[in-house]
Amino acid sequence: MNQPFLIADVPSAARPAPAHLCPACASAVHSVLFAAGDRNFSTTARSFEIVECVDCRLIRLHPQPDPSELAALYPEGYWDAPEVTITDRLEQWYRRLVLSDHARFVERALIECEEPGLVLDVGCGAGLFLQKLRRRGALARPDAAGHPAQRAIAGVDFSLDAAVAAARNRVPAVCATLTHAPFAPASCAVITMFNVLEHLYDPARYLDAAHCLLARNGRLIVQVPNAACWQFLLMGERWSGLDVPRHLFHFRLSQLEALLGDCGFEILRTKHFSLRDNPAGLAASLAPALDPTVRRLRHVGESPRMRFFKDALYVALVAACVPPTLLEAACRAGSTVMLEARKKT
Ligand SMILES: [Zn+2]
């Protein structure tokens, strides 16, 4: 049984527009790109549509699942980070290793913003990212008297499972929505949202909340799958970035930039390649059944030898996906985009 989600903040009344209207421009007309179901985890047998607004071209899931259904659409153990066998430990080691890329991007923002406040990771999952920052020494910051000190960190997630998993990893976390998170206005130096906005009914509300929580020169780091990537163009409904029915929106980079601008942010940096996400995303598009997380959460029965064989095949596939995803990113069409933004002055 899944732990409950905190959904008090996302009732249907909080949605920006009635379900049949485009949440971005309120157009009632959309074209259906294709039908798709939960290809990865089979949490539901329902078929959804991926539709594109004919006016603003925002791509979205249609119909959106009701908030009361959300918990059931995330498989049990989605946020857990089990370290039972050698391959589990290797998987966790690999996850932490490839987070270096995210950490470097955020470290630069932390240095350049020169704000003393909190680092807040929204959608913190099991807290691996903040753990990574701490282990890299990125949080060291002298206090007012010049003594060595650590910058405060916190995770927020609307899944209780995730907040509990983060606490197990010694990352302070609260189960809350960002709009009701227990932090003071202007208290954050950096707020990160890795793969969060596409899960929300009203992404602008989270961006507004981040705007309020950030210090004057604080930085917002946002990462989403990029619907303007080559992978989506070539693979259509097989693109893993769709993650039906958990992703409600599929932003193109230009649309994300416009959304951030509307919410009072200016873009400082854009990164088109993610070591953690782009090669693994292409591998998941090509062979979803090989993905170790999918296999674990679907409780695929495997002998130790078969498990090792599939893991080895998966690693080889991810490695083979590095060159094409690097090329895609070099052409500004990476399958994820990461942006650094600050408040407009
Ligand atoms: Zn629209």
Side-chain angles (χ1 to χ4, degrees):
M1 180 70 187
N2 285 343
Q3 292 284 345
F5 271 29
L6 190 72
I7 57 171
D9 198 39
V10 287
S12 48
R15 295 181 187 180
H20 66 288
L21 300 183
C22 170
C25 74
S27 169
V29 190
H30 63 243
S31 59
V32 178
L33 300 184
F34 44 77
D38 186 353
R39 185 165 166 256
N40 285 341
F41 300 117
S42 301
T43 56
T44 174
R46 280 174 64 191
S47 178
F48 297 83
E49 288 176 341
I50 302 294
V51 303
E52 182 177 38
C53 172
V54 296
D55 290 315
C56 72
R57 296 192 64 217
L58 179 63
I59 299 172
R60 67 185 197 272
L61 183 74
H62 182 79
Q64 291 182 338
D66 190 80
S68 63
E69 300 174 76
L70 278 187
L73 299 178
Y74 289 78
E76 191 175 353
Y78 189 79
W79 287 275
D80 287 351
E83 296 192 33
V84 182
T85 65
I86 290 174
T87 36
D88 284 333
R89 289 198 195 102
L90 277 175
E91 186 188 331
Q92 289 306 310
W93 173 82
Y94 171 76
R95 283 176 187 278
R96 291 186 174 103
L97 175 76
V98 292
L99 266 175
S100 304
D101 197 27
H102 286 60
R104 273 194 298 274
F105 194 84
V106 172
E107 277 173 35
R108 180 172 154 188
L110 264 175
I111 292 166
E112 292 182 356
C113 82
E114 296 180 335
E115 291 284 0
L118 182 73
V119 179
L120 182 62
D121 186 25
V122 182
C124 64
L128 295 186
F129 173 71
L130 290 173
Q131 195 184 44
K132 180 80 186 178
L133 273 189
R134 185 164 57 201
R135 286 180 177 177
R136 286 171 63 93
L139 302 169
R141 182 184 166 84
D143 62 17
H147 301 126
Q150 285 280 308
R151 191 188 283 275
I153 55 171
V156 176
D157 206 295
F158 57 59
S159 157
L160 186 57
D161 266 356
V164 169
R168 271 203 301 269
N169 283 325
R170 297 187 300 110
V171 169
V174 290
C175 178
T177 57
L178 189 62
T179 43
H180 290 89
F183 304 105
S187 62
C188 297
V190 167
I191 296 178
T192 54
M193 294 186 195
F194 298 123
N195 301 313
V196 169
L197 290 181
E198 67 273 21
H199 291 261
L200 303 174
Y201 289 101
D202 189 354
R205 291 189 75 205
Y206 260 44
L207 294 177
D208 289 341
H211 196 276
C212 174
L213 290 171
L214 277 172
R216 190 180 60 83
N217 198 34
R219 300 297 159 87
L220 174 68
I221 311 292
V222 173
Q223 185 195 26
V224 296
N226 176 20
C229 66
W230 290 355
Q231 287 184 45
F232 188 32
L233 203 64
L234 294 171
M235 308 189 76
E237 65 191 82
R238 289 173 57 82
W239 178 43
S240 60
L242 293 173
D243 199 18
V244 176
R246 287 161 291 277
H247 289 183
L248 307 183
F249 293 102
H250 306 287
F251 299 101
R252 295 178 177 88
L253 172 58
S254 56
Q255 293 164 332
L256 179 64
E257 288 171 339
L259 178 62
L260 284 164
D262 290 346
C263 293
F265 290 98
E266 63 176 326
I267 314 293
L268 297 176
R269 269 193 298 160
T270 304
K271 187 176 187 315
H272 296 265
F273 182 77
S274 160
L275 184 60
R276 182 189 70 173
D277 300 306
N278 292 27
L282 180 55
S285 300
L286 293 169
L290 272 185
D291 187 303
T293 305
V294 170
R295 283 157 46 215
R296 186 178 69 237
L297 296 183
R298 294 188 73 148
H299 304 291
V300 175
E302 295 166 349
S303 66
R305 180 177 295 185
M306 178 56 77
R307 185 173 181 197
F308 178 80
F309 174 72
K310 285 186 178 177
D311 285 345
L313 207 57
Y314 175 76
V315 168
L317 180 61
V318 172
C321 288
V322 171
T325 50
L326 274 173
L327 176 65
E328 184 185 43
C331 297
R332 298 174 57 84
S335 57
T336 63
V337 283
M338 198 184 298
L339 280 73
E340 177 187 353
R342 71 177 170 204
K343 296 184 191 185
K344 288 178 186 168
T345 48

